[in-house]
Amino acid sequence: MYKRQLLLSTIYAPLAVALFAALDALPGPQPLAYGLSFLMAEGAALALLWAYGSRRELRLGLWGLALCPLLILVSYNGLHFDAWLIPLLIGWVLLLRAQRPGLALLLLLIAAALRHWPALLLPISLMNLPTWRGRIGGALVSIAALLLALAPQLWHYSSAHSGLRIYGQVWEMNDALFPLLAAGIGQSAARALALGVPALLALGLGLSSLRRDPALAGLLIVGTLLLLSPTFFPWYWLWLLPFILLARSPLTIVGAALAAVLPLYYLRFLLADLGQAPWFDTHLIWLEFGPIFALILLAGLAHVRRVRRPDHSGA
């Protein structure tokens, strides 16, 4: 497995590649080594919830980490390493709540060394530091750490085999909104929008009072990133799981609903054998994502009604 990952090392972050190498060097079957590493990650996440979370969050964690069919499918069957992010992101939220922003920032930077996308959460983390001096210092440290983590990808970016360039410019799979955006404004603009909107949202939330609710802020940022992205594989749902477990918002229902519909993606392989993969991409994809956008619309309308409802408490 490690040899396969080495060929794609310009898309995987350095810490992920190091863990691939360490696990593949162990004796015994590779699926067993990866499965045990996922169990350790889930155990660490549950330990954090037990130490810092509420009883409700611990109960949700036991369901989400031990009994969720999608997690079992993509981690223990598919061997996708995104489960390693779960304890880091849960720890990030819980440490920010406990007013330990320095340690939270450290966990976030470790997460960004596994997958680059957690860097989008930096505005939330930095703005929770108590002083501007600390925020500026944290930003400089974060920039240096991110440049170090991105160095292998940037070094090989001009190569014809650059995974980062291919993924950023060509790769597209299991998406609903992105084809509509690309048809309207072009592929390049749509890809810039898919990254730029979540980044601007993160900056806005970091400057607002919502930065004090990192679970909800993370759910909004990562959810926006995934729904606008040209690629939304089922295992990417694990990016949302920590925030679904910890956020107290109706939007967690949307995140949970994604776990129910994302496995429809695997029908594409059956249709591909019948020569009907394009039909999935243009039609069946809306059976997968249509209910999600409907739930988001209903949640938005409910929020508008609550805001417009007159307050008679002082009458």
Side-chain angles (χ1 to χ4, degrees):
M1 186 173 182
Y2 177 50
K3 291 180 180 179
R4 178 176 66 84
Q5 305 293 6
L6 270 182
L7 295 175
L8 299 171
S9 62
T10 50
I11 186 57
Y12 292 110
L15 184 55
V17 175
L19 288 173
F20 295 152
L23 289 173
D24 291 342
L26 293 175
Q30 288 182 2
L32 177 61
Y34 278 78
L36 289 174
S37 76
F38 300 148
L39 276 178
M40 291 174 63
E42 292 175 30
L46 288 173
L48 286 167
L49 288 171
W50 180 79
Y52 292 100
S54 66
R55 289 184 179 180
R56 171 186 173 274
E57 290 164 347
L58 180 58
R59 286 195 299 268
L60 286 174
L62 286 169
W63 169 84
L65 297 172
L67 300 175
C68 178
L70 183 56
L71 183 147
I72 295 169
L73 174 67
V74 300
S75 295
Y76 297 97
N77 182 64
L79 298 182
H80 296 288
F81 70 97
D82 300 87
W84 295 339
L85 288 171
I86 294 173
L88 295 170
L89 295 173
I90 285 179
W92 176 72
V93 171
L94 294 175
L95 285 171
L96 284 180
R97 285 183 183 174
Q99 298 184 358
R100 304 183 71 179
L103 283 176
L105 179 60
L106 176 61
L107 286 187
L108 188 62
L109 290 175
I110 295 172
L114 271 174
R115 279 279 199 187
H116 295 314
W117 70 261
L120 283 171
L121 302 174
L122 276 172
I124 307 297
S125 207
L126 293 172
M127 292 306 294
N128 271 285
L129 292 168
T131 66
W132 277 104
R133 182 177 180 180
R135 293 166 185 170
I136 294 171
L140 293 175
V141 170
S142 300
I143 291 170
L146 290 175
L147 287 175
L148 184 63
L150 280 167
Q153 288 88 348
L154 296 176
W155 181 262
H156 293 284
Y157 190 79
S158 60
S159 166
H161 302 290
S162 168
L164 183 64
R165 184 163 60 86
I166 293 170
Y167 192 88
Q169 296 180 2
V170 179
W171 199 256
E172 183 182 348
M173 186 71 68
N174 204 45
D175 53 339
L177 279 183
F178 182 82
L180 301 180
L181 292 172
I185 63 176
Q187 279 271 344
S188 298
R191 288 178 183 274
L193 193 71
L195 183 60
V197 169
L200 289 174
L201 178 61
L203 288 172
L205 294 178
L207 294 171
S208 75
S209 60
L210 199 60
R211 69 178 180 272
R212 300 188 183 92
D213 188 352
L216 179 54
L219 185 63
L220 290 169
I221 295 164
V222 181
T224 301
L225 172 69
L226 291 173
L227 291 175
L228 290 177
S229 172
T231 306
F232 190 172
F233 290 126
W235 48 95
Y236 290 3
W237 179 80
L238 298 185
W239 304 359
L240 285 169
L241 181 56
F243 310 118
I244 294 171
L245 296 177
L246 295 172
R248 297 197 174 188
S249 165
L251 287 175
T252 57
I253 298 173
V254 179
L258 275 166
V261 298
L262 281 171
L264 290 172
Y265 161 74
Y266 294 103
L267 290 176
R268 192 180 190 278
F269 296 97
L270 298 177
L271 291 172
D273 291 338
L274 301 173
Q276 296 298 319
W279 188 81
F280 177 94
D281 297 334
T282 56
H283 294 83
L284 195 56
I285 192 73
W286 288 102
L287 180 62
E288 184 178 354
F289 286 103
I292 300 304
F293 296 125
L295 282 174
I296 294 172
L297 178 61
L298 289 173
L301 291 174
H303 177 73
V304 169
R305 281 197 295 268
R306 284 196 303 269
V307 170
R308 291 183 175 179
R309 185 179 301 155
D311 185 5
H312 300 294
S313 60

